[in-house]
Amino acid sequence: MTSKSITITRRDFLRRSSLAAVGVAGIAVAPSLLTACGNTESSLSRAREQGFIRVGFANEAPYGYATAAGEVTGEAPEVARIVLSRLGIDELDGVVTTFSSLIPGLQAGRFDMIAAGMFITPDRCDAILFSDPDYCIPQAFGVEAGNPLNLLSYEDVAANPDATLGVLGGAVEEEYALDLGVSEDQLVTFDQAASMAEGLQAGRVNAFALTSLSVRTQIERLDDPGLEITPAFVPVIEGEEQVGCGGYGFREDDEEFRDAFNEVLVEMKDNDEIVPIVEEFGFTADEIDSAKGRTAAELCEA
């Protein structure tokens, strides 16, 4: 899949006055956004001066996606929008890519932060910085109505060598599945959450794995009585519950930006400001409250 930009504002300004021919996946990128160009100005300072910032997302509802009108929305962009406005940055320029390309795109300077509901994991912490989480959520499967293979966990998939499971490229579900005994031959990788659900509908897989809210969103979107969502569950690997908590990603040299963003985010979380922003995307106080007191440092060491 070829990545493309979804611009919310200032596109003419970006194209006409600040873009240079630096190609990443065929997209011209402003040299001021690239750490490789030797600019020591922080992303936070630069964004405040420009009045806008580029944000990467993966077109996965309800976390971050483009509307039919080409506007970026979802849980992560909308919370980020409020945090950034309090930091003096009033506009978001969204860049949509595949989930597996989010971290490489951030590192390459295609955008200055990730707002995609990305789970904070030790492996990802080795590559980028994370804010503290703003939500935690369990897993679920999308399956055929009646769940004919009785697939309720990754262990159930592993126990049935004929079962196939759809996973999102670059997401944690593939790692969970492999760690819990699912063979590589049983996994089918998709670039988008929507295509996973459609793959189940078309019989390409027997189930697909995502967060419970993502699965529900896709099942409701298709409105197909032949599909259903399983009960939510938390994978347990080597005796440890794998609680999925999502945050915002930043380049390793953008600690100032991450810290400033995090300070506002934690204040909003503690003041119960986040639920009213995200409830339209299906989130409840349960998912937001479960992230209170959790830190990126803790999750990076998990």
Side-chain angles (χ1 to χ4, degrees), residues 144 163-166 186-190 195-207:
E144 294 178 42
T164 54
L165 180 68
Q186 291 177 276
L187 298 179
V188 179
T189 303
F190 295 83
S195 60
M196 294 173 66
E198 290 156 9
L200 171 66
Q201 189 178 42
R204 291 185 58 197
V205 293
N206 300 118

Side-chain angles (χ1 to χ4, degrees), residues 3-192:
S3 300
K4 61 180 181 179
S5 293
I6 300 289
T7 298
I8 310 310
T9 53
R10 295 184 181 264
R11 174 45 51 98
D12 290 339
F13 173 80
L14 285 168
R15 282 181 173 168
R16 297 173 186 174
S17 64
S18 67
L19 287 180
V22 180
V24 180
I27 303 295
V29 182
S32 63
L33 295 176
L34 298 179
T35 57
C37 71
N39 188 345
T40 59
E41 184 181 24
S42 73
S43 296
L44 177 59
S45 298
R46 185 169 60 252
R48 280 171 167 162
E49 292 171 3
Q50 296 175 154
F52 68 95
I53 195 164
R54 281 193 161 184
V55 172
F57 66 104
N59 223 22
E60 179 189 354
Y63 298 101
Y65 60 98
T67 68
E71 297 179 348
V72 59
T73 190
E75 175 269 336
E78 295 304 335
V79 172
R81 201 184 302 277
I82 301 300
V83 175
L84 292 167
S85 70
R86 295 183 185 181
L87 294 174
I89 306 165
D90 294 328
E91 298 178 7
L92 298 187
D93 182 21
V95 180
V96 64
T97 187
T98 59
F99 193 90
S100 61
S101 297
L102 283 169
I103 289 178
L106 178 67
Q107 292 171 325
R110 290 196 59 222
F111 34 83
D112 282 314
M113 64 178 289
I114 295 170
M118 180 177 280
F119 279 6
I120 303 166
T121 69
D123 286 346
R124 290 170 179 166
C125 293
D126 287 340
I128 61 174
L129 301 177
F130 277 99
S131 72
D132 290 344
D134 59 347
Y135 77 91
C136 298
I137 199 166
Q139 296 271 295
F141 291 161
V143 294
E144 294 178 42
N147 197 3
L149 298 185
N150 197 31
L151 302 177
L152 300 172
S153 68
Y154 293 105
E155 290 91 339
D156 290 338
V157 178
N160 185 343
D162 294 327
T164 54
L165 180 68
V167 293
L168 185 65
V172 297
E173 286 77 19
E174 180 178 5
E175 182 179 346
Y176 291 162
L178 294 173
D179 285 346
L180 290 169
V182 179
S183 71
E184 291 186 3
D185 290 343
Q186 291 177 276
L187 298 179
V188 179
T189 303
F190 295 83
D191 283 338
Q192 300 286 342

